[in-house]
Amino acid sequence: MADRVTNVFIAGVGGQGILLASEILSAAALARGLDVKKSEVHGMAQRGGSVVSHVRFGARVHSPVIAEGEADVLVAFEKMEALRWIHVLKPRGRVVVNAQEIIPSGLDEYPKGLDAKIRGRAPDAVFVDALALAKEAGNVRAVNTVMLGAFAAFLDFSDDEWKRAIQASVPRKTVEMNLAGFALGRKAAAGR
């Protein structure tokens, strides 16, 4: 992926750690010596608003924004956000989806059939139970590093590049928990 620009679109709802995940991904790409640009759109976190981050890296990147239909990878921290943003994905792009369901404000129950709708647009979508894996890592707040680990299974970044990026980006007392979450996410995605 180093010879061309890779476009990664990260989507979720407020409070899931999307922005920290994009920081860690950017740091790992920089550690690899790549040019990196990113952009963020913050929704109303208190109301479960959509939060998205565009991360682009490669030999030379001119713009931080990913155009519709140009994302190589969509990393969705929530299933409805995967469906909401799947139009950014290029043909044969990859989708990594957190199986977690967060009922949005204003609805009484979660919509049914989202997995099939996502697979209808992205047949190779990888679903990861990031919440369960984060609990296994020691804290539900590790959902973002679990999702990064799942996504990392599709990149050729080294373990050391990811480890240094995580260590530099999270509070010191949470490093081991986040590294454990990353490893669990990577293992879950690699096994599919």
Side-chain angles (χ1 to χ4, degrees):
M1 290 188 169
D3 295 338
R4 63 177 188 85
V5 174
T6 299
N7 298 317
V8 181
F9 193 92
I10 305 173
V13 298
Q16 289 191 293
I18 286 97
L19 303 182
L20 177 59
S22 68
E23 288 292 328
I24 293 170
L25 172 57
S26 297
L30 284 170
R32 178 154 271 251
L34 299 173
D35 189 22
V36 180
K37 300 270 189 303
K38 76 180 182 75
S39 178
E40 302 159 346
V41 178
H42 307 220
M44 296 288 286
Q46 296 87 350
R47 296 180 183 218
S50 185
V51 176
V52 299
S53 182
H54 305 234
V55 181
R56 305 184 73 218
F57 52 87
R60 183 151 173 94
V61 181
H62 297 284
S63 167
V65 178
I66 301 169
E68 187 172 317
E70 293 296 323
D72 295 287
V73 184
L74 167 62
V75 183
F77 282 40
E78 203 283 325
K79 288 197 284 189
M80 274 199 289
E81 292 301 313
L83 200 55
R84 180 190 318 257
W85 293 104
I86 205 159
H87 65 280
V88 303
L89 199 64
K90 67 172 46 172
R92 294 186 300 280
R94 304 295 307 246
V95 179
V96 181
V97 184
N98 181 1
Q100 185 177 1
E101 298 177 349
I102 300 173
I103 298 174
S105 168
L107 293 182
D108 293 328
E109 64 183 51
Y110 201 80
K112 306 251 185 276
L114 293 185
D115 291 23
K117 290 179 181 176
I118 293 167
R119 288 194 194 283
R121 299 283 307 272
D124 296 332
V126 173
F127 287 78
V128 176
D129 190 346
L131 183 59
L133 294 174
K135 288 177 183 173
E136 188 177 333
N139 192 315
V140 296
R141 297 183 75 175
V143 162
N144 56 358
T145 48
V146 170
M147 290 302 293
L148 274 179
F151 161 67
F154 304 106
L155 286 181
D156 61 354
F157 290 8
S158 72
D159 287 342
D160 192 49
E161 289 163 339
W162 284 111
K163 184 176 180 180
R164 280 187 278 135
I166 291 170
Q167 288 172 328
S169 303
V170 303
R172 188 178 205 165
K173 66 182 180 183
T174 68
V175 167
E176 291 307 316
M177 177 262 296
N178 280 293
L179 290 174
F182 181 87
L184 288 168
R186 191 171 208 167
K187 182 178 176 185
R192 297 180 188 253

